[in-house]
Amino acid sequence: MMDERRDVALAIKSCLDSLMSDATRCDLDDLVRFLSLAALAAEEAAVAHDPHALRMKALMATGAGHC
């Protein structure tokens, strides 16, 4: 189930990225910002239950890996 959830979220992100590219090409700046936020949410949903991503988030919270 988690793999399917991740796969669907990544597919949605891919569609949103494509739409964002089209909106950028047509100078639809407000739409680009909206789509970028939606793409970010889709990416977060994709890694929300990924054990590897959760470990990485825990490391990032401790300051490891930050410049």
Side-chain angles (χ1 to χ4, degrees), residues 39-52:
L40 181 63
E43 186 176 346
E44 286 291 318
V47 298
H49 295 93
D50 181 9
H52 178 69

Side-chain angles (χ1 to χ4, degrees), residues 22-30 32:
D22 292 343
T24 299
R25 188 172 31 84
C26 295
D27 295 322
L28 299 169
D29 297 333
D30 290 339
V32 171

